[in-house]
């Protein structure tokens, strides 16, 4: 491609609405244009990058025996009614764009395709002999994200590869899951990215596990906890660890103490001269289930620990059937205004005890009249602890479960693991932290969708069983941008060779020099013929402008047909390290071919 014929516009300054380096650079270098909130045009250079990533994804998927297909983006609401997700996706979470057609039929624009693929499987899979089978597609997805941002990182329209596998049993699912683990690792490695595979939260239903593939970058929205020995890595939402050991409590006898002005843990520790590991803190949450019922939750946890709201939400989702509900709509710490709507009398905030009575709740049709009481593991083991006295300005010390306080029946792990905690697999290893961009997520779904939608097969014994499913997603457009987030300098993008839009760019410093043009044209033709994808900067611009643009767009190798041609040579510069050398004109094609090959297979 000749730059003189391209729609090639670069910007000198950072665009105002871009926050992170990769977003700024893709805009400045003319890869993308913003059309609306979370909506971007992929310009020709970007489209080449996206096609390269897609090709790597295809090759890795096909190598596992998965088959490519293309499913509809317009999805009838009936399918989502069957799976039970229509209301959550269009109303509660509101992530799905929905519309009504001219015949008054409701449709959604596909944010994901479990419903569509399960209906295909329901119609077409009859027998165990057809299993396992795995279909995937590369397609634009639509999601009405609450906070679209960072360019292609969190768009409302973006490209995803999503795949769905069907199995007769868990064992077969686990094998495909393992194959996907390898395929995803290969995709990221081949795209030139530094990444970490981490244990991920799979919500309340997917107990069987999921893995996220995190591209490591400071701008990442996710936090990853890992150990140096490489044996443990998890998203903070899911991570487990050993908390620091609790100190022995100095309070050997139970008594109520006046503790004025100690409504925070820090003030209380100062006042009583004790460690936060000797205190049970009691935290209130408020959740609304999908049937409209508000439930108040009282959590007891060791006071040096924080609550992990993802784990909490999973526990509360498990309890949904108990309240005649399926799922949770909201989970919040009730503020004064929210408390007004249900409290029967003024709460002893800052001084709540584990036995806070249900009398504080004015129960109604809309509000459950009892607290759900959850005890975190860290609080179970405490002896002679300090906690609130249900009276403003008072605490109790030397308390014990089974004596002054009844042990709540639900013991759970809802604490947040954090940097410096000891690891479970080896307490000598402490957790380290890193930021990550979630590029892919593989998931053992089990029978959630097949059961809801009646997708069954007949096993060898002739029994009808629900299909066991897995699903696997990789964000093609997010992955492409995260490569830039991982690789740039003050002058611009530094593409990994495997996904760069072009391998090389030939810069003609002086467009008035016929000899320079002749050498450039010859190399341009020969390089492209030899499979070295090459751009020709034949614009009538100053050499400095051309060099700046070449750096900004991040093409791995730059060939300059400058003064050296007098000696039968050209200057070749590597974008990544700026290493420059003069190479004989007739050696250029072979050398570049070899460099590209080494970079892509290396
Ligand atoms: P996130 O937690 O970042 O919202 P997700 O859990 O919703 O991601 P999945 O539903 O598992 O993501 O989708 C599979 C992949 O699609 C993700 O791993 C990510 O790479 C990509 N992806 C998801 N949402 C977006 C988005 N709004 N813009 C770009 N890529 C996305
Ligand atoms: Mg999401």
């Amino acid at each position: 491609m000749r730059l003189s014929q391209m729609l090639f516009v670069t910007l000198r300054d950072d665009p105002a609405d871009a926050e992170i380096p990769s977003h700024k650079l893709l805009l400045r270098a003319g890869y993308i244009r913003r059309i609306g909130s979370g909506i971007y045009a992929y310009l020709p250079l970007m489209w080449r990058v996206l096609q390269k990533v897609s090709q790597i994804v295809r090759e890795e998927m096909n190598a596992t025996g998965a088959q490519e297909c293309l499913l509809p983006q317009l999805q009838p609401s009936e399918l989502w009614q069957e799976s039970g997700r229509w209301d959550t996706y269009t109303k509660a979470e509101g992530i799905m764009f929905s519309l009504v057609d001219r015949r008054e039929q409701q449709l959604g624009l596909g944010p994901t395709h479990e419903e569509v693929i399960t209906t295909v499987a329901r119609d077409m899979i009859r027998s165990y002999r057809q299993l396992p089978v795995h279909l995937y597609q590369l397609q634009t997805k639509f999601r009405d994200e609450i906070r679209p941002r960072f360019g292609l990182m969190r768009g409302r329209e973006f490209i995803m590869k999503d795949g769905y596998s069907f199995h007769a049993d868990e064992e077969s699912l686990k094998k495909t899951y393992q194959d996907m683990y390898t395929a995803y690792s290969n995709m990221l490695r081949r795209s030139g990215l530094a990444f970490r595979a981490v244990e991920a939260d799979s919500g309340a239903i997917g107990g069987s596990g999921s893995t996220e593939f995190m591209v490591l970058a400071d701008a990442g929205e996710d936090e990853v906890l890992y150990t140096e020995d490489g044996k443990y890595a998890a998203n903070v939402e899911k991570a487990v660890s050993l908390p620091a050991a609790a100190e022995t409590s100095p309070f050997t006898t139970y008594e109520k103490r006046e503790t004025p002005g100690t409504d925070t843990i820090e003030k209380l520790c100062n006042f009583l001269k004790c460690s936060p590991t000797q205190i049970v803190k009691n935290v209130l949450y408020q959740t609304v289930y999908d049937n409209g019922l508000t439930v108040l939750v009282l959590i007891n946890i060791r006071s040096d620990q924080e609550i992990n709201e993802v784990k909490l939400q999973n526990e509360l989702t498990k309890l949904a059937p108990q309240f005649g509900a399926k799922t949770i709509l909201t989970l919040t710490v009730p503020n004064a205004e929210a408390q007004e709507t249900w409290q029967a009398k003024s709460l002893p905030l800052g001084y709540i005890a584990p036995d806070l009575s249900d009398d504080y709740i004015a129960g109604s049709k809309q509000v459950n009249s009892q607290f759900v009481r959850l005890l975190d593991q860290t609080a179970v083991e405490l002896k002679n602890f300090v906690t609130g006295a249900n009276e403003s300005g008072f605490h109790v010390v030397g308390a014990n479960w089974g004596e002054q306080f009844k042990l709540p029946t639900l013991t759970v792990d809802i604490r947040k693991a954090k940097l410096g905690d000891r690891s479970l697999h080896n307490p000598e290893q402490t957790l380290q932290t890193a930021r990550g961009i979630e590029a892919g997520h593989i998931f053992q779904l089990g029978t959630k969708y097949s059961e809801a939608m009646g997708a069954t097969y007949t096993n060898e014994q002739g029994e009808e069983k629900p299909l066991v499913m897995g699903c696997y997603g990789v964000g093609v457009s997010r992955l492409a941008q995260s490569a830039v987030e991982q690789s740039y300098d003050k002058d611009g993008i530094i593409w990994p060779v495997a996904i760069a839009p072009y391998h090389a760019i030939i810069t003609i410093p002086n467009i008035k020099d016929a000899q320079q043009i002749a050498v450039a044209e010859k190399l341009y033709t020969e390089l492209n013929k030899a499979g070295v994808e090459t751009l020709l900067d034949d614009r009538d611009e100053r050499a400095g402008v051309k060099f700046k643009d070449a750096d900004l767009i991040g093409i791995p190798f730059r060939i300059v047909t400058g003064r050296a041609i007098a000696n039968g040579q050209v200057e070749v510069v590597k974008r990544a390290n700026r290493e420059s050398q003069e190479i004989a004109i007739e050696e250029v094609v072979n050398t570049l071919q070899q460099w590209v090959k080494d970079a892509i297979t290396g």
Side-chain angles (χ1 to χ4, degrees), residues 425-478:
H425 80 279
N426 174 1
E428 303 213 319
Q429 293 280 324
T430 54
L431 297 186
Q432 315 287 311
T433 176
R435 304 296 306 177
I437 300 163
E438 181 200 317
H441 195 169
I442 62 173
F443 206 93
Q444 299 180 33
L445 275 178
T447 54
K448 181 182 166 174
Y449 295 93
S450 51
E451 274 181 36
M453 298 180 67
T456 59
Y457 73 99
T458 311
N459 70 10
E460 269 186 272
Q461 288 73 43
E463 301 156 332
E464 197 172 324
K465 296 272 178 193
L467 289 160
V468 178
M469 291 174 63
C471 72
Y472 321 91
V474 59
V476 170
S477 43
R478 183 185 284 184

Side-chain angles (χ1 to χ4, degrees), residues 374-437:
L374 298 177
L375 178 66
D376 183 72
Q377 270 160 12
T378 52
V380 182
E381 295 142 25
L382 293 188
K383 304 262 178 291
N384 298 325
F385 57 80
V386 175
T387 196
N390 283 336
E391 189 178 337
S392 199
F394 289 88
H395 282 86
V396 297
V397 302
N400 284 289
W401 300 112
E403 292 175 20
Q404 295 80 19
F405 297 108
K406 198 171 137 225
L407 196 65
T409 43
L410 281 174
T411 302
V412 289
D413 167 28
I414 45 176
R415 65 177 275 274
K416 203 170 182 172
K418 58 176 190 297
L419 172 73
D421 282 351
R422 293 165 301 157
S423 175
L424 286 178
H425 80 279
N426 174 1
E428 303 213 319
Q429 293 280 324
T430 54
L431 297 186
Q432 315 287 311
T433 176
R435 304 296 306 177
I437 300 163

Side-chain angles (χ1 to χ4, degrees), residues 179-224:
D179 289 347
M180 282 302 114
Y181 189 103
T182 309
Y184 273 49
S185 302
N186 291 345
M187 288 172 198
L188 293 173
R189 187 182 42 73
R190 288 182 57 193
S191 301
L193 294 164
F195 69 97
R196 208 178 268 280
V198 307
E199 285 177 26
D201 173 62
S202 43
I205 26 110
S208 37
S210 78
T211 301
E212 285 167 345
F213 291 81
M214 295 288 188
V215 172
L216 303 171
D218 291 339
E221 292 184 289
D222 287 285
E223 185 186 352
V224 170

